[in-house]
């Protein structure tokens, strides 16, 4: 998300024409809580404009439906599309879709360590 946030800044708006954000997901993993409980997995789905069920030709009878139900439960299909990719092919039209403007949180930067240094010794540290 930090990359998307950086590319969406005012500076890059003059240089780049960002199109829809696509997130690929393997529906066979949707029943594994190591994925669905992972913050990065969910963050990537949340910022997607289009969610692509990759390797759909390898799914069992219910796996695409399980993915769709998971996305519905999160209310991620109300403003996003779910597409399927079979045999590694992705429709080129998906790459030229307009980007939705998501409210992206500011990147979290590590905070400076705090110390119990008094002001007189702070001058030495600054030096």
């Amino acid at each position: 998300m930090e990359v998307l946030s950086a590319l969406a800044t005012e500076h890059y708006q003059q240089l780049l024409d960002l199109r829809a954000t696509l997130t690929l997901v393997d529906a066979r993993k949707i029943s594994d809580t190591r994925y669905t409980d992972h913050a990065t997995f969910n963050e990537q789905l949340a910022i997607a404009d289009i969610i692509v069920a990759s390797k759909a030709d390898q799914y069992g009878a219910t796996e695409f439906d399980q993915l769709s139900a998971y996305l519905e439960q999160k209310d991620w299909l109300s403003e996003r599309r779910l597409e399927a990719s079979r045999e590694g092919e992705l429709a080129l039209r998906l790459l030229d879709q307009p980007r939705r403007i998501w409210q992206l949180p500011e990147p979290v930067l590590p905070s400076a360590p705090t110390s119990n240094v008094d002001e007189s010794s702070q001058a030495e540290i600054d030096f």
Side-chain angles (χ1 to χ4, degrees):
M1 179 171 333
E2 289 83 13
V3 171
L4 188 56
S5 295
L7 294 176
T9 62
E10 186 177 329
H11 171 75
Y12 288 108
Q13 287 177 0
Q14 303 300 317
L15 303 171
L16 299 173
D17 178 21
L18 292 180
R19 306 308 286 167
T21 300
L22 279 64
T23 296
L24 278 68
V25 63
D26 187 340
R28 297 173 297 176
K29 306 295 184 187
I30 207 68
S31 61
D32 187 341
T33 58
R34 290 179 300 169
Y35 291 89
T36 57
D37 289 346
H38 198 281
T40 302
F41 177 86
N42 288 300
E43 182 179 271
Q44 290 177 355
L45 291 170
I47 66 168
D49 295 302
I50 301 170
I51 298 170
V52 178
S54 65
K55 305 176 185 178
D57 52 304
Q58 298 178 19
Y59 295 170
T62 62
E63 290 167 324
F64 186 85
D65 292 337
Q66 288 173 341
L67 172 61
S68 183
Y70 178 77
L71 298 172
E72 285 286 349
Q73 172 195 358
K74 297 283 190 175
D75 194 32
W76 286 335
L77 290 182
S78 61
E79 296 179 334
R80 294 162 186 81
R81 292 189 358 230
L82 175 60
E83 298 277 338
S85 171
R86 291 176 173 76
E87 297 183 11
E89 293 194 18
L90 184 66
L92 290 177
R93 65 179 166 71
L94 298 177
L95 299 176
D96 196 29
Q97 298 298 307
R99 179 175 72 97
R100 295 185 55 86
I101 305 298
W102 299 108
Q103 182 65 28
L104 300 173
E106 292 295 320
V108 178
L109 301 175
S111 58
T114 58
S115 65
N116 295 328
V117 178
D118 64 37
E119 288 184 33
S120 62
S121 61
Q122 184 65 37
E124 292 175 25
I125 293 172
D126 291 340
F127 175 71

